Amino acid sequence: MSFFLTPVLIAVICVLIGWIFKSESKKADNEVKTKPEHRPWVDEDLKDSTELHQIEDEDESHELDESVEHIPFSSPRYPENEMIKRSQEFYELLNQRRSVRFISNEPVPRQVIDNVIKTAGTAPSGAHTEPWSFVVVQDEEVKHRIRMIVEEEEEVNYKKRMGDKWVNDLKKLKTNWIKEYLDTAPFLILIFKKVYGITSSGRRKTHYYNEISVSIACGFLLAALQNAGLVTVTTTPLNCGPRLRTLLDRPDNEKLLMLLPVGYPSKDSTVPDLKRKPLEEIMVEKIRSFSHPEAYCFFLSLEQHSKTHFDWIVSFSSASNQKSISSPVTECLCML
């Protein structure tokens, strides 16, 4: 039996092949779009469903709808020279802060730890929910168990989760998964964020911007530790949260955000010789708004002179405005 491909049959076959390839291409595109982005450095335990507009438990708003008395407020107002002096001294104090990984086992007064945590607790928070818990660990056995959990997970992080780029970026800091300071530091402070609260009736209470709020509190804590003459290193143990939460008997609504070993630097302590960015690289000052970029430079040159020398220019500027003339020159003159 002979079989011949007629032009019509060839056309039909081509159409079928094209349809099959097109279907497979669409399927592949849909898989790419629906496949979640793989980010191995993201701590899954820190993810939560606390969006800004949540569906809150029924009657929660009624429980919390209590009037808060507003009271008079005043704060110390310093002379300008003293303000400058105090701000400069505070900057110099915090500019000495370094991440220290060699911490002495020398005892630290417990009252100092209480005071720095009270300071952290003064941080602002979304709707004043104060969504933080500061767990203080001093017991040697518990500290060592924390170290074992952290080092086990960190070894996996360095070898698999973090990726070559991240590991290479850390080489200059000479870090690895060995965390001896978790044993030697007299205190460990583990900061947990409460992704939601519990009302007196057992209902969930929304914690707005909980991670941002707790992060601000961590900043206060770091400043307080520096002010007290203590050192620490900010650590965020990737994927250690669930096991540490269980070890420390914390509730399910708390997620580990940061772990701080706290103490004095050891006698042989070293830190990388890193430099901080100067002010001009971290601050942007918008002085005036100009629609013409050239106008700003021209304005600065004019502003150095007395305005009385430019009476005729101001008159010209006003006339230009009336005629809706737009140019870098007329724009900056109008700013005088």
Side-chain angles (χ1 to χ4, degrees), residues 122-178:
T122 68
S125 59
H128 194 59
T129 52
E130 302 174 292
W132 43 63
S133 289
F134 299 90
V135 179
V136 178
V137 179
Q138 189 176 12
D139 182 82
E140 297 296 331
E141 181 182 349
V142 178
K143 287 194 299 179
H144 187 69
R145 291 176 66 183
I146 290 174
R147 178 182 178 181
M148 293 297 98
I149 292 173
V150 171
E151 289 187 345
E152 180 181 332
E153 291 291 343
E154 282 287 80
E155 184 174 5
V156 178
N157 293 337
Y158 272 82
K159 293 182 177 180
K160 295 182 179 180
R161 297 189 184 116
M162 292 164 57
D164 293 338
K165 184 179 185 305
W166 191 354
V167 173
N168 287 333
D169 287 342
L170 291 174
K171 282 184 178 180
K172 62 183 179 183
L173 304 179
K174 298 181 179 180
T175 66
N176 54 41
W177 59 85
I178 305 300

Side-chain angles (χ1 to χ4, degrees), residues 30-242:
N30 290 334
E31 288 179 354
V32 170
K33 290 179 181 179
T34 56
K35 185 178 180 181
E37 181 185 0
H38 179 58
R39 295 187 297 169
W41 59 87
V42 174
D43 194 329
E44 295 296 326
D45 188 56
L46 282 176
K47 293 183 178 180
D48 60 73
S49 58
T50 52
E51 300 296 336
L52 179 59
H53 302 291
Q54 301 183 71
I55 300 177
E56 300 178 350
D57 288 329
E58 186 180 357
D59 296 331
E60 178 189 345
S61 58
H62 296 293
E63 290 186 31
L64 303 178
D65 189 18
E66 301 176 357
S67 60
V68 177
E69 181 184 2
H70 285 224
I71 58 176
F73 172 79
S74 63
S75 62
R77 183 161 183 170
Y78 306 105
E80 183 174 321
N81 289 340
E82 186 175 353
M83 289 174 63
I84 295 173
K85 179 175 178 291
R86 289 170 64 91
S87 62
Q88 178 66 25
E89 289 176 348
F90 189 68
Y91 158 70
E92 291 174 356
L93 172 67
L94 292 191
N95 194 38
Q96 297 171 21
R97 188 207 59 78
R98 298 302 305 269
S99 294
V100 179
R101 295 174 173 82
F102 304 95
I103 300 178
S104 167
N105 60 2
E106 183 181 353
V108 170
R110 175 54 195 259
Q111 188 175 352
V112 174
I113 302 300
D114 293 346
N115 287 338
V116 296
I117 291 179
K118 285 193 295 183
T119 301
T122 68
S125 59
H128 194 59
T129 52
E130 302 174 292
W132 43 63
S133 289
F134 299 90
V135 179
V136 178
V137 179
Q138 189 176 12
D139 182 82
E140 297 296 331
E141 181 182 349
V142 178
K143 287 194 299 179
H144 187 69
R145 291 176 66 183
I146 290 174
R147 178 182 178 181
M148 293 297 98
I149 292 173
V150 171
E151 289 187 345
E152 180 181 332
E153 291 291 343
E154 282 287 80
E155 184 174 5
V156 178
N157 293 337
Y158 272 82
K159 293 182 177 180
K160 295 182 179 180
R161 297 189 184 116
M162 292 164 57
D164 293 338
K165 184 179 185 305
W166 191 354
V167 173
N168 287 333
D169 287 342
L170 291 174
K171 282 184 178 180
K172 62 183 179 183
L173 304 179
K174 298 181 179 180
T175 66
N176 54 41
W177 59 85
I178 305 300
K179 314 293 183 184
E180 184 179 353
Y181 51 72
L182 295 176
D183 270 329
T184 61
F187 287 100
L188 302 182
I189 302 178
L190 294 90
I191 302 97
F192 288 81
K193 69 170 187 175
K194 296 182 179 180
V195 296
Y196 59 86
I198 306 295
T199 66
S200 57
S201 63
R203 297 181 182 275
R204 288 193 179 193
K205 173 184 176 183
T206 303
H207 281 172
Y208 304 98
Y209 301 109
N210 53 75
E211 185 162 330
I212 295 176
S213 300
V214 180
S215 298
I216 296 172
C218 289
F220 278 40
L221 179 56
L222 293 174
L225 289 170
Q226 179 68 17
N227 182 62
L230 299 175
V231 298
T232 186
V233 54
T234 53
T235 68
T236 52
L238 189 65
N239 291 315
C240 296

